[in-house]
Amino acid sequence: MSETRKEMAGLLLVYHCPIAKTPVFIEDHIDSFSEFSRFEVRAINTELGFPDGLERFEFQVLVLSFTLFAWKPFFISQEFREYIQNSRAYKVAFFQDEYRFWPERREFINGCNIDCVYTNIEPPYFDETYRKLTSAKKLVHYIPGYVSTRQVKDGLRFSRQDSEREIDIGYRGRPTYHYMGKGAREKNVIAPKFIEMAAGSGLVMDIEAAEERRIYGEDWLSFLGNCRGVLGVEAGVSIFDLNDEMRPRYEQIMKERPDISFDEISRLLLHEFEDKGVYNRMISPRVFEAASVHACQILFEGRYSGILIPDVHYISLKKDFSNFDDVMRKFRDPVIRRRLTDNAYRDLIESGRYSYKAFVEEFDRNLSDAGIVSREDLTRMGT
């Protein structure tokens, strides 16, 4: 790296986004820093390559988005990696989908001297993960997505009166890899089972679990706003392969039997790892999206990061569907639907408790605690 004099700047956010459609919640996460941070924020998309002249800048804070670590090899070129390694900035890495790529994550954190990790893993599991395996000095728990300014505005724009909604119950899921376990599989299990159980009910349903039927951008909130109710499950997985014990065996089985069913590979291998070790289930950004358009949520029972309360914010559906009749009784009652959607909007959206504004303000406070002062703070202090 050049030894020429470096220009000092605020915060550099490095992320990866293909030119193709990107889920809105990812865009919101990236945009939230420039919208709300006290620091001067510049952003670089690694998809576009290493910018000319970047090496001339030394930032106070270097933020690495979770989008960089979605697959391996990570979306970080050798040029970017060298820049990160050589930077004297306070380095913050955001991670999601932490059930995979632990050897690569560990090597990156230690090799690039990451100071702080934002993680979806809950604090009771910090010791056996990041504290045991990495040199990161600070760990912060966060949820996968928050409520953006855009989402609040679009929620109001796309929300319809209950009587005007054309769909009773909607849902979009996606297939998952077997190695993610039965927890992740709930995303595509809930759809066909609900359709089967609701057959003959007279409900208008638009429920799909195929990848090609997913909806993006404004079309997604428009779809939710046209549904009286939506199905949902917790985000995350039920198999957390921290020590990389399961993956080699899994890959060998899949190589020999690429069309093996989930039930069969579960019997042969996955049952040994289900719901053991690190707990990795959490609230999904979809919960906030549904709340923003006052769609009544029918969710598989779960913890939902301690944020949601059954019969206050949503109707709880047992995973064996044994309470299906009671779920339908509650859902068909417009008074109950209204109470649940009003509660969810009040507590999740209107309160601002889970807004990106609150999230970034807390992020800035953590930087201040680490001794990093923004230009805005210096100006306020008169220095």
Side-chain angles (χ1 to χ4, degrees), residues 267-286:
R267 183 184 66 79
L268 292 174
L269 173 64
L270 302 184
H271 73 279
E272 301 175 30
F273 300 92
E274 286 280 4
D275 296 316
K276 296 178 182 177
V278 178
Y279 180 82
N280 198 224
R281 305 301 303 279
M282 65 211 71
I283 195 168
S284 166
R286 287 191 171 190

Side-chain angles (χ1 to χ4, degrees), residues 153-278:
K153 292 179 180 178
D154 285 351
L156 292 172
R157 181 157 61 102
F158 289 117
S159 183
R160 302 186 184 186
Q161 293 295 322
D162 187 89
S163 60
E164 297 175 356
R165 302 190 183 208
E166 299 171 320
I167 301 167
D168 286 308
I169 298 179
Y171 178 72
R172 287 297 184 272
R174 73 189 327 165
T176 56
Y177 295 105
H178 293 339
Y179 67 77
M180 299 164 74
K182 63 184 180 182
R185 187 171 170 78
E186 291 171 2
K187 294 177 183 178
N188 54 295
V189 165
I190 193 172
K193 184 65 176 177
F194 197 95
I195 292 172
E196 175 191 336
M197 295 292 291
S201 66
L203 293 174
V204 177
M205 296 183 288
D206 190 340
I207 298 172
E208 301 280 356
E211 184 70 33
E212 62 272 15
R213 296 290 292 165
R214 288 174 66 80
I215 306 171
Y216 292 94
E218 288 190 349
D219 291 342
W220 173 239
L221 274 187
S222 178
F223 170 75
L224 292 177
N226 195 29
C227 297
R228 294 186 178 87
V230 294
L231 304 179
V233 303
E234 283 187 296
V237 299
S238 53
I239 294 180
F240 200 101
D241 193 19
L242 178 62
N243 299 313
D244 219 21
E245 298 174 35
M246 182 268 291
R247 181 60 70 87
R249 295 166 59 188
Y250 171 85
E251 290 178 346
Q252 183 60 38
I253 292 173
M254 293 302 297
K255 181 179 179 180
E256 296 171 355
R257 300 178 58 186
D259 296 326
I260 191 171
S261 70
F262 176 81
D263 289 341
E264 181 65 8
I265 196 170
S266 182
R267 183 184 66 79
L268 292 174
L269 173 64
L270 302 184
H271 73 279
E272 301 175 30
F273 300 92
E274 286 280 4
D275 296 316
K276 296 178 182 177
V278 178

